[in-house]
Short mmCIF file of all heavy atoms in Angstrom, two decimals:
data_model
loop_
_atom_site.label_atom_id
_atom_site.label_comp_id
_atom_site.label_asym_id
_atom_site.label_seq_id
_atom_site.Cartn_x
_atom_site.Cartn_y
_atom_site.Cartn_z
N ILE K 17 -51.65 -25.79 -36.22
CA ILE K 17 -50.70 -26.93 -36.59
C ILE K 17 -51.02 -27.41 -37.97
O ILE K 17 -50.14 -27.60 -38.80
CB ILE K 17 -50.84 -28.05 -35.56
CG1 ILE K 17 -50.36 -27.59 -34.16
CG2 ILE K 17 -50.00 -29.28 -36.01
CD1 ILE K 17 -50.68 -28.52 -33.04
N ASN K 18 -52.28 -27.57 -38.33
CA ASN K 18 -52.65 -27.99 -39.65
C ASN K 18 -52.21 -27.01 -40.68
O ASN K 18 -51.85 -27.42 -41.81
CB ASN K 18 -54.18 -28.16 -39.73
CG ASN K 18 -54.72 -29.38 -39.03
OD1 ASN K 18 -53.90 -30.22 -38.51
ND2 ASN K 18 -55.95 -29.51 -38.88
N ASN K 19 -52.24 -25.72 -40.35
CA ASN K 19 -51.72 -24.73 -41.34
C ASN K 19 -50.27 -24.84 -41.76
O ASN K 19 -49.92 -24.30 -42.79
CB ASN K 19 -51.97 -23.28 -40.78
CG ASN K 19 -53.49 -22.89 -40.94
OD1 ASN K 19 -54.21 -23.45 -41.74
ND2 ASN K 19 -53.90 -21.94 -40.17
N ILE K 20 -49.48 -25.47 -40.94
CA ILE K 20 -48.08 -25.66 -41.29
C ILE K 20 -48.05 -26.53 -42.65
O ILE K 20 -47.11 -26.30 -43.41
CB ILE K 20 -47.31 -26.43 -40.15
CG1 ILE K 20 -47.20 -25.53 -38.99
CG2 ILE K 20 -45.94 -26.85 -40.64
CD1 ILE K 20 -46.51 -26.22 -37.71
N CYS K 21 -49.03 -27.37 -42.86
CA CYS K 21 -49.07 -28.17 -44.07
C CYS K 21 -49.18 -27.27 -45.27
O CYS K 21 -48.95 -27.79 -46.40
CB CYS K 21 -50.17 -29.20 -43.99
SG CYS K 21 -49.94 -30.47 -42.70
N ARG K 22 -49.60 -26.03 -45.16
CA ARG K 22 -49.75 -25.17 -46.26
C ARG K 22 -48.43 -24.44 -46.64
O ARG K 22 -48.35 -23.80 -47.62
CB ARG K 22 -50.84 -24.11 -45.97
CG ARG K 22 -52.25 -24.69 -45.84
CD ARG K 22 -53.27 -23.64 -45.59
NE ARG K 22 -54.51 -24.26 -45.37
CZ ARG K 22 -55.50 -23.73 -44.71
NH1 ARG K 22 -55.32 -22.47 -44.25
NH2 ARG K 22 -56.66 -24.28 -44.63
N HIS K 23 -47.38 -24.57 -45.73
CA HIS K 23 -46.12 -23.99 -46.00
C HIS K 23 -45.40 -24.70 -47.16
O HIS K 23 -45.86 -25.82 -47.46
CB HIS K 23 -45.25 -23.97 -44.75
CG HIS K 23 -45.78 -23.11 -43.65
ND1 HIS K 23 -44.98 -22.82 -42.56
CD2 HIS K 23 -46.99 -22.50 -43.45
CE1 HIS K 23 -45.79 -22.02 -41.72
NE2 HIS K 23 -46.90 -21.83 -42.26
N SER K 24 -44.38 -24.08 -47.65
CA SER K 24 -43.69 -24.70 -48.83
C SER K 24 -43.14 -26.07 -48.43
O SER K 24 -42.76 -26.34 -47.26
CB SER K 24 -42.48 -23.84 -49.18
OG SER K 24 -42.86 -22.59 -49.53
N ASP K 25 -43.15 -26.98 -49.46
CA ASP K 25 -42.59 -28.32 -49.29
C ASP K 25 -41.12 -28.32 -48.97
O ASP K 25 -40.41 -27.46 -49.64
CB ASP K 25 -42.80 -29.26 -50.51
CG ASP K 25 -44.27 -29.58 -50.73
OD1 ASP K 25 -45.09 -29.29 -49.84
OD2 ASP K 25 -44.63 -30.02 -51.85
N ILE K 26 -40.66 -29.09 -48.06
CA ILE K 26 -39.18 -29.28 -47.83
C ILE K 26 -38.96 -30.80 -47.74
O ILE K 26 -39.89 -31.56 -47.56
CB ILE K 26 -38.66 -28.54 -46.58
CG1 ILE K 26 -39.31 -29.12 -45.34
CG2 ILE K 26 -38.87 -27.04 -46.68
CD1 ILE K 26 -38.75 -28.58 -44.04
N ARG K 27 -37.71 -31.15 -47.91
CA ARG K 27 -37.34 -32.55 -47.89
C ARG K 27 -37.36 -33.10 -46.39
O ARG K 27 -36.79 -32.58 -45.57
CB ARG K 27 -35.93 -32.81 -48.49
CG ARG K 27 -35.63 -34.29 -48.67
CD ARG K 27 -34.31 -34.49 -49.49
NE ARG K 27 -34.32 -33.72 -50.79
CZ ARG K 27 -34.94 -34.13 -51.91
NH1 ARG K 27 -35.57 -35.23 -51.86
NH2 ARG K 27 -34.82 -33.37 -52.99
N CYS K 28 -38.04 -34.26 -46.27
CA CYS K 28 -38.08 -34.96 -44.97
C CYS K 28 -36.81 -35.76 -44.82
O CYS K 28 -35.98 -35.93 -45.73
CB CYS K 28 -39.24 -35.96 -44.90
SG CYS K 28 -40.86 -35.20 -45.15
N LYS K 29 -36.56 -36.22 -43.56
CA LYS K 29 -35.37 -37.09 -43.30
C LYS K 29 -35.39 -38.34 -44.17
O LYS K 29 -34.31 -38.83 -44.45
CB LYS K 29 -35.32 -37.42 -41.79
CG LYS K 29 -35.02 -36.25 -40.87
CD LYS K 29 -35.12 -36.69 -39.47
CE LYS K 29 -34.93 -35.49 -38.56
NZ LYS K 29 -35.17 -35.88 -37.10
N ASN K 30 -36.57 -38.83 -44.49
CA ASN K 30 -36.57 -40.06 -45.31
C ASN K 30 -36.44 -39.74 -46.83
O ASN K 30 -36.57 -40.66 -47.65
CB ASN K 30 -37.91 -40.84 -45.05
CG ASN K 30 -39.14 -40.06 -45.55
OD1 ASN K 30 -39.06 -38.99 -46.14
ND2 ASN K 30 -40.24 -40.64 -45.20
N GLY K 31 -36.24 -38.48 -47.19
CA GLY K 31 -36.01 -38.15 -48.57
C GLY K 31 -37.26 -37.69 -49.33
O GLY K 31 -37.19 -37.15 -50.42
N LYS K 32 -38.47 -37.93 -48.79
CA LYS K 32 -39.66 -37.54 -49.41
C LYS K 32 -39.89 -35.99 -49.31
O LYS K 32 -39.37 -35.34 -48.44
CB LYS K 32 -40.88 -38.22 -48.77
CG LYS K 32 -40.90 -39.69 -49.09
CD LYS K 32 -42.18 -40.29 -48.48
CE LYS K 32 -42.19 -41.85 -48.69
NZ LYS K 32 -43.41 -42.39 -48.16
N MET K 33 -40.59 -35.43 -50.26
CA MET K 33 -40.80 -34.03 -50.32
C MET K 33 -42.16 -33.62 -49.79
O MET K 33 -42.93 -32.81 -50.32
CB MET K 33 -40.65 -33.47 -51.69
CG MET K 33 -39.22 -33.44 -52.20
SD MET K 33 -38.19 -32.33 -51.33
CE MET K 33 -38.80 -30.76 -51.70
N ASN K 34 -42.57 -34.19 -48.62
CA ASN K 34 -43.93 -33.83 -48.08
C ASN K 34 -43.80 -33.28 -46.68
O ASN K 34 -44.75 -33.33 -45.93
CB ASN K 34 -44.84 -35.06 -48.10
CG ASN K 34 -44.39 -36.15 -47.15
OD1 ASN K 34 -43.22 -36.43 -47.01
ND2 ASN K 34 -45.31 -36.86 -46.55
N CYS K 35 -42.68 -32.71 -46.36
CA CYS K 35 -42.50 -32.04 -45.03
C CYS K 35 -42.66 -30.55 -45.19
O CYS K 35 -42.53 -29.99 -46.22
CB CYS K 35 -41.19 -32.34 -44.45
SG CYS K 35 -41.12 -33.98 -43.61
N HIS K 36 -43.04 -29.95 -44.01
CA HIS K 36 -43.28 -28.50 -43.95
C HIS K 36 -42.79 -27.96 -42.62
O HIS K 36 -42.79 -28.71 -41.64
CB HIS K 36 -44.85 -28.25 -44.11
CG HIS K 36 -45.42 -28.93 -45.25
ND1 HIS K 36 -45.53 -28.31 -46.47
CD2 HIS K 36 -45.87 -30.18 -45.42
CE1 HIS K 36 -46.07 -29.19 -47.33
NE2 HIS K 36 -46.28 -30.35 -46.71
N LYS K 37 -42.33 -26.73 -42.61
CA LYS K 37 -41.72 -26.16 -41.38
C LYS K 37 -42.47 -24.96 -40.94
O LYS K 37 -42.96 -24.11 -41.73
CB LYS K 37 -40.28 -25.75 -41.75
CG LYS K 37 -39.50 -25.18 -40.53
CD LYS K 37 -38.07 -25.09 -40.76
CE LYS K 37 -37.64 -24.25 -41.91
NZ LYS K 37 -36.14 -24.01 -41.97
N GLY K 38 -42.66 -24.85 -39.60
CA GLY K 38 -43.33 -23.67 -39.03
C GLY K 38 -42.96 -23.52 -37.60
O GLY K 38 -42.65 -24.46 -36.93
N GLY K 39 -43.02 -22.27 -37.16
CA GLY K 39 -42.69 -21.92 -35.76
C GLY K 39 -43.81 -22.28 -34.75
O GLY K 39 -44.99 -21.95 -35.05
N MET K 40 -43.46 -22.92 -33.70
CA MET K 40 -44.52 -23.36 -32.69
C MET K 40 -43.81 -23.33 -31.27
O MET K 40 -42.59 -23.43 -31.15
CB MET K 40 -44.95 -24.75 -32.91
CG MET K 40 -45.80 -24.96 -34.20
SD MET K 40 -47.45 -24.45 -33.85
CE MET K 40 -47.86 -23.69 -35.39
N ARG K 41 -44.68 -23.29 -30.26
CA ARG K 41 -44.22 -23.47 -28.88
C ARG K 41 -44.31 -24.94 -28.57
O ARG K 41 -45.32 -25.54 -28.87
CB ARG K 41 -45.14 -22.69 -27.98
CG ARG K 41 -44.59 -22.49 -26.57
CD ARG K 41 -45.43 -21.50 -25.82
NE ARG K 41 -45.60 -21.81 -24.36
CZ ARG K 41 -44.92 -22.60 -23.61
NH1 ARG K 41 -44.02 -23.27 -24.05
NH2 ARG K 41 -45.24 -22.77 -22.37
N VAL K 42 -43.21 -25.49 -28.08
CA VAL K 42 -43.14 -26.98 -27.87
C VAL K 42 -42.54 -27.30 -26.49
O VAL K 42 -41.90 -26.48 -25.84
CB VAL K 42 -42.24 -27.63 -28.95
CG1 VAL K 42 -42.85 -27.36 -30.35
CG2 VAL K 42 -40.78 -27.18 -28.85
#
């Protein structure tokens, strides 16, 4: 889960650029 933070930055719903996307079982 922590490794997702190493993926490329993407825009969050609040407009900030500190979100990251990764595949997980949920």
Side-chain angles (χ1 to χ4, degrees):
I17 297 168
N18 289 351
N19 281 338
I20 294 174
C21 294
R22 295 183 183 155
H23 295 191
S24 300
D25 291 348
I26 62 172
R27 188 171 308 280
C28 301
K29 291 176 186 173
N30 66 5
K32 293 182 180 178
M33 287 298 292
N34 66 323
C35 278
H36 308 268
K37 179 166 63 170
M40 292 279 141
R41 194 168 141 20
V42 300

